[in-house]
Every structure is written in structure tokens, then in C-alpha cells.
Amino acid sequence: MIDMFEMSSDSNLVFMVGTSEVLERIYELGAAAPDANAYKELRKILDIDEFINYMAVELFLGSDDWPHNNIKGFRSQDDGRYRFVTFDLDYSFKYDDPFQEFKNDQWHTFNYIYDTGEQRYEEIKLVTFFLNMLKNEAFRKQFIDTYCLIGGSVFEKERSTAIVNELADQVRPMAQLDGNRTPDGSANIIKEQLKTRNAQMTSRMKEFQPMQLSNVNKQQVQLSTDTEGANLYVNGLEVPYADFNGYLFAPVQIEAKAPAGHVFAGWKKGNSNTFFSTEPVIDLPTDNSMKLTACFTPMTEAERLQEGFTPVRINEVSAANNIYVNEYWKRNDWVELYNTTDQPVDVEGMYLTDNLSKPHKYQIQKGESTANTVIPPHGHLIIWCDKLMPASQLHASFKLGAEGGDMMLSASDDSWSDVFSYPEHKEDETVGRYPDGCNTVQVMNVPTIEKANITSSYAVTYEKLLMGDVNRDGFVSVVDVTLTVDYILGNVKDDFNFNNADINGDGFINVSDITAIVDIILK
């Protein structure tokens, strides 16, 4: 069951399903947003990350048909957090300054709150709530950073212009059938707006007093990577598409994370061929204009083996799926595979299992179906775990245990295998590696399918202790044997875990434990 509401054009909020108690509690807590306990409670009933994303997009686009209209929100009644829905954006770009007060008889987004004193308009609680939330320092800073990322990455003009052109090309044949019409007029308006929108909107945000940016410089920044699959972060927030060309407000800390099978090399500044810094996490220099490129180098085969980076890895698991449907229109369990290499990989003939003692439980075969088995470089592939026959998608011969379990993917010749453990999780959660193909596993509240995994402030790192995994990196390998030998020889290492090395549980680490770890690797 869910709670779901909608606001109509006459500013009346109507609950289509469920009741309003939780939403009213959200608005009530907003009035106390600076209080740590109130903010903690808010995070439990409102998805703060998604709410910030929602407000940033709506304010950046500046529609004059919002926020007195076109507001929808929903939550699961099973301890779910409210999320708001962005829709009906045909009046976007109407506001040149969505943050400003009502001036010169021109409409602006926040009329509805500024003019409540004169009772010319009814109060919009969503606006009141947002302005109250800006009094919370953590919320305000996250909103500022998110708003900058929206403008400099999601709606970056070159990227967005290419999307608009592609959409116009798709619509053009249909438009021409309707009186020889063309989509180019609307497309050109959008593209023209995008040319200056980012600079204009970040300036307006800076001028908006509740943001507290009047004494902070607006810094022009370009961030990019030289390797596909790498991730960039601004103050802990992931940069969409790992590419940014926009504006930021200090203080700013940036971070680069290597994709699976690579290591961070350094930051290059401007067009320099030398590294500005070799630290993956740095404070952004305060130059008015800054261009930085995160550079990475591929691991050697020995290094990949040591770190457990097999060519293909189990990347995400959904054992309680109630979101995505397969070609049979069933919301069944699924597992996502990820290609860690720079070349396409055909997984046909590989083995997938949910029982580590039966590694050959299911062999990936498309048979006579049209299912795809080739994963592009740094790409994804879904296998539904539901015992159905493959039609246009792959289907394993087993279902997943909702209570949690272990999975393993093995090469067709058993030359390598990848083990993935997952805990019990909710129907709107998944368990996956973050970043894609890497060793850290998280329970994620933003499920993705055949796309890069997304983390959030609600993601929880999952760590299952594997016997023999003495360095606790999530798998058992030659590294664990070496560390155990070093321990026996008296060379104690910081990353050595005694409990995982004591395979037989006798309280000692000796040759028998080394033999047992080798057996685990061989099996």
C-alpha cells in the first residue's frame, strides 16, 4: 500500500490513495529543520537526496505552472520515504529568476510564499517547507552543490543540445504527417535557452539571500576523466556522467574513483601533461576558472587477479524486486553482470549459481531465443532468476532467496570465478557493487537495471565475513595466502584478520589454515 497525493491547478492537495498524516508531519518537522533530531526524523520519512534533486530540477527549469500546480508525491506505507515526481514541463524556461521575490508585476516561483503576508495568494506548503529547510546548513549546502551539478552536468548545454537534436529528428517524420509541421521551432527555443541558462541560474541562486552565498565567489569549473567508467564527486555527491562544465561555490572538495581494473594516477590541470596532484581527494583550488582531468592507468593482469577483478563480475542483485519487469511482464528476481574490461565479452557458456557447492547449477545459454549474451566494454547485462524460458532476455534455472545468499559467476573453463554475497533487502532496494565492478558492496535505495549503480546518503555498505578472506576485501585469493604466511613468519599486517584466517577455529594460525585457504581458492 502507498500514500499518494496530487496538487491541482486550484492549489488543492488531494490524496489519491492513503492518508496525509506523514506528509503533514514532514511539513511540521520542516519548521524545526535546523534541529538535529528533527532533521534525523525527516530523513526517515522523506528521501532528502531525491527531494533536493527534485527542487533543483524544478527551479533550474523555472516553469510558471509550478509549484501551485503539477505536484505529486508518494511513499510506501511500509516505512517508506516520500518522493516527489517531476512531470508536465512544457512551461519550462518561463522564469528568468525562479528565486526572486514578486517584482515589477512579474510572476515568479516564490510569489506564493512571499505574498502570504498580504493574503493575495494562499500559502503553498511545499514552498514554505523548502525555505524552512534552507535554514539547515547540511541541507542548504547539499542543495547548492546539487543545483550546480544539475546545471553543469545534467543540463550541460553541449550534451543537452545533442539530446534535443536527437529527439527532434525522431519526432520530425510524425510532425510532417500533421500538416507538414516541424519540431524545430520548439527545439531551437530550448537550445537557445540552454546556451545561457546555467550561468544565469547559478547567479540567481547566489543572489537569493536564504542560500547565504552573497560573499562567496562563483567559480567556473570543468571536470572530466580520461577513462570510461570512472567516477567524480563534488563534496561527496556523484557528478552525473562523470563530466562537469559549470559553476561551483566554495568550499569544494573533489574526488576521483577508479573504475574496476584501474588505479588513480593523478589530476591534470588545464592542458598540462604533468600531474597537478596525485591524491584522489583534493580541495578545489580557488582560481576563478579551473579545468581538471582525472587520469587513471589500467592494472596489470597480475594486479587485476590480486584485487579480484575478473573479466565479468556480479554487479547488482535484486531478490525482492517489485519495480522492474521482464519480457513476460513479471517482476521477478534478477542479477546484473558487469564487464570490467575494455573489450566486448560473450558470457554464453559461463556458469551462474546461488549455491557455491554447485558452481555449474546454471550455464548461460540463449538457445533459440533472441536474448543477447554479449556485454559491451564497461557495460551491463541482466539475467532474470525465475526459472522461465529465455525469449528476448536471459533466464536462470533458479530463483533467489529473499532472505539473502551467495552467488557465483564462473568462466566456461572454470579459469576464474566471482563470488557475490547479498543480505535480505526491501522490494525497492537492490544490493550492488559501487562503483560498478569494484569490491565495495552496498544495499542501495536507488535500484538500477543495466545501468551504472547509484549510491546515496541512504546506501549502507554490506560486509559479509568470508572464511579465508583475511584482508576482508570480499573474496578469497592468493593475497590472503600471502598475508597468512607473513603472519606465521611474524610479519603482522594491518589488514590481516585473525578470525577469517583461523579456518579450523582452533585459536591458532598455522599451515593447516594455509592449506584450507588454498582449498577454498581451488574450489
Side-chain angles (χ1 to χ4, degrees):
M1 293 293 294
I2 64 172
D3 293 327
M4 182 178 71
F5 67 87
E6 180 176 341
M7 180 177 286
S8 62
S9 58
D10 56 4
S11 300
N12 290 326
L13 188 147
V14 178
F15 266 80
M16 317 302 288
V17 181
T19 60
S20 64
E21 282 82 0
V22 175
L23 182 63
E24 292 299 329
R25 180 57 177 165
I26 287 173
Y27 290 151
E28 178 183 339
L29 290 168
D35 179 75
N37 290 329
Y39 194 66
K40 183 177 180 180
E41 184 179 345
L42 264 172
R43 285 182 52 84
K44 294 180 179 179
I45 56 178
L46 173 67
D47 190 320
I48 292 291
D49 296 339
E50 291 300 318
F51 179 71
I52 288 175
N53 291 340
Y54 169 79
M55 292 299 296
V57 168
E58 291 283 5
L59 287 167
F60 185 88
L61 294 178
S63 169
D64 67 354
D65 204 15
W66 177 91
H68 64 293
N69 187 24
N70 292 328
I71 296 178
K72 292 182 181 180
F74 69 95
R75 67 178 286 270
S76 167
Q77 292 180 353
D78 183 21
D79 297 325
R81 302 181 184 93
Y82 258 108
R83 289 185 175 184
F84 287 75
V85 180
T86 301
F87 70 104
D88 201 351
L89 300 175
D90 51 320
Y91 285 96
S92 296
F93 304 126
K94 289 290 184 177
Y95 291 142
D96 293 329
D97 185 359
F99 292 101
Q100 190 53 274
E101 299 180 43
F102 183 81
K103 290 182 178 179
N104 302 323
D105 295 325
Q106 297 296 312
W107 287 92
H108 292 280
T109 300
F110 286 154
N111 296 352
Y112 307 100
I113 181 64
Y114 282 116
D115 288 332
T116 53
E118 299 179 21
Q119 298 299 311
R120 285 191 284 173
Y121 309 103
E122 291 186 10
E123 177 189 14
I124 302 297
K125 288 186 177 181
L126 176 69
V127 178
T128 306
F129 174 74
F130 177 68
L131 294 176
N132 283 334
M133 292 299 290
L134 290 178
K135 299 173 185 177
N136 181 286
E137 184 176 356
F139 180 93
R140 183 176 65 253
K141 180 58 179 170
Q142 185 175 339
F143 176 84
I144 292 169
D145 292 335
T146 300
Y147 193 77
C148 290
L149 292 177
I150 291 292
S153 186
V154 176
F155 292 107
E156 192 275 327
K157 60 182 179 181
E158 298 298 333
R159 177 181 174 276
S160 297
T161 295
I163 293 174
V164 172
N165 288 336
E166 180 182 353
L167 291 174
D169 289 340
Q170 292 183 7
V171 172
R172 186 170 289 105
M174 181 64 70
Q176 290 174 344
L177 291 175
D178 183 16
N180 201 31
R181 300 174 64 183
T182 173
D184 294 321
S186 297
N188 289 335
I189 291 174
I190 296 173
K191 290 187 289 186
E192 192 64 28
Q193 286 283 347
L194 289 169
K195 289 180 180 179
T196 58
R197 190 72 178 178
N198 190 20
Q200 184 181 47
M201 291 299 99
T202 47
S203 292
R204 296 297 177 263
M205 181 178 66
K206 173 179 167 59
E207 296 164 1
F208 188 52
Q209 188 277 329
M211 298 297 174
Q212 301 182 24
L213 293 172
S214 59
N215 296 321
V216 182
N217 291 330
K218 187 177 79 167
Q219 186 178 4
Q220 188 169 7
V221 178
Q222 292 184 54
L223 301 173
S224 61
T225 74
D226 69 349
T227 304
E228 185 178 359
N231 296 79
L232 297 178
Y233 304 83
V234 169
N235 290 330
L237 299 177
E238 184 176 350
V239 178
Y241 316 107
D243 192 50
F244 179 82
N245 184 9
Y247 303 90
L248 296 173
F249 295 89
V252 176
Q253 185 181 78
I254 58 175
E255 180 180 3
K257 286 187 179 180
H262 291 73
V263 293
F264 178 73
W267 295 96
K268 288 184 179 179
K269 185 177 180 181
N271 297 319
S272 173
N273 290 322
T274 59
F275 290 135
F276 162 73
S277 172
T278 57
E279 295 295 326
V281 181
I282 62 172
D283 292 327
L284 184 69
T286 56
D287 306 31
N288 288 332
S289 181
M290 176 63 57
K291 179 181 178 181
L292 291 176
T293 303
C295 302
F296 304 86
T297 56
M299 293 178 174
T300 65
E301 286 302 317
E303 289 172 331
R304 287 176 61 91
L305 177 63
Q306 181 174 327
E307 293 295 325
F309 292 123
T310 54
V312 181
R313 303 198 79 178
I314 297 171
N315 196 56
E316 188 175 8
V317 168
S318 179
N321 171 44
N322 194 32
I323 299 176
Y324 297 105
V325 297
N326 58 27
E327 78 267 51
Y328 291 99
W329 297 100
K330 301 291 186 180
R331 294 187 182 95
N332 293 337
D333 304 337
W334 53 268
V335 58
E336 179 186 79
L337 306 183
Y338 176 74
N339 179 0
T340 69
T341 76
D342 297 325
Q343 302 295 327
V345 175
D346 192 342
V347 300
E348 188 159 25
M350 294 184 185
Y351 297 96
L352 184 69
T353 184
D354 64 342
N355 186 339
L356 300 187
S357 65
K358 297 180 179 180
H360 291 179
K361 186 173 183 178
Y362 161 69
Q363 187 171 35
I364 301 174
Q365 299 283 352
K366 62 176 178 286
E368 297 180 358
S369 74
T370 60
N372 174 50
T373 59
V374 178
I375 312 179
H378 307 289
H380 309 79
L381 181 69
I382 293 298
I383 298 179
W384 295 90
C385 299
D386 52 14
K387 297 184 179 181
L388 297 178
M389 293 297 295
S392 61
Q393 297 174 326
L394 295 171
H395 294 263
S397 59
F398 56 85
K399 297 182 178 181
L400 300 181
E403 71 280 1
D406 301 311
M407 300 195 70
M408 183 166 67
L409 176 72
S410 302
S412 57
D413 61 358
D414 290 323
S415 59
W416 56 261
S417 61
D418 177 56
V419 176
F420 184 95
S421 299
Y422 67 93
E424 182 179 3
H425 50 280
K426 296 180 180 179
E427 60 185 19
D428 58 352
E429 296 176 331
T430 56
V431 184
R433 300 186 187 278
Y434 187 82
D436 285 351
C438 293
N439 293 327
T440 299
V441 175
Q442 296 182 339
V443 179
M444 301 178 291
N445 73 315
V446 186
T448 60
I449 189 167
E450 289 191 300
K451 294 181 180 179
N453 290 341
I454 298 175
T455 191
S456 74
S457 65
Y458 293 97
V460 178
T461 299
Y462 172 65
E463 185 177 21
K464 180 178 180 180
L465 302 183
L466 297 175
M467 294 308 294
D469 179 19
V470 299
N471 63 349
R472 296 178 69 170
D473 61 358
F475 53 92
V476 183
S477 67
V478 175
V479 178
D480 300 299
V481 176
T482 303
L483 287 172
T484 305
V485 172
D486 283 344
Y487 180 86
I488 294 174
L489 294 177
N491 302 321
V492 180
K493 304 289 186 179
D494 291 337
D495 53 356
F496 181 82
N497 184 273
F498 185 95
N499 291 331
N500 283 15
D502 184 17
I503 306 297
N504 58 14
D506 62 359
F508 300 94
I509 306 298
N510 50 39
V511 174
S512 64
D513 296 302
I514 295 176
T515 302
I517 295 174
V518 171
D519 285 342
I520 292 173
I521 296 172
L522 294 178
K523 290 180 180 179

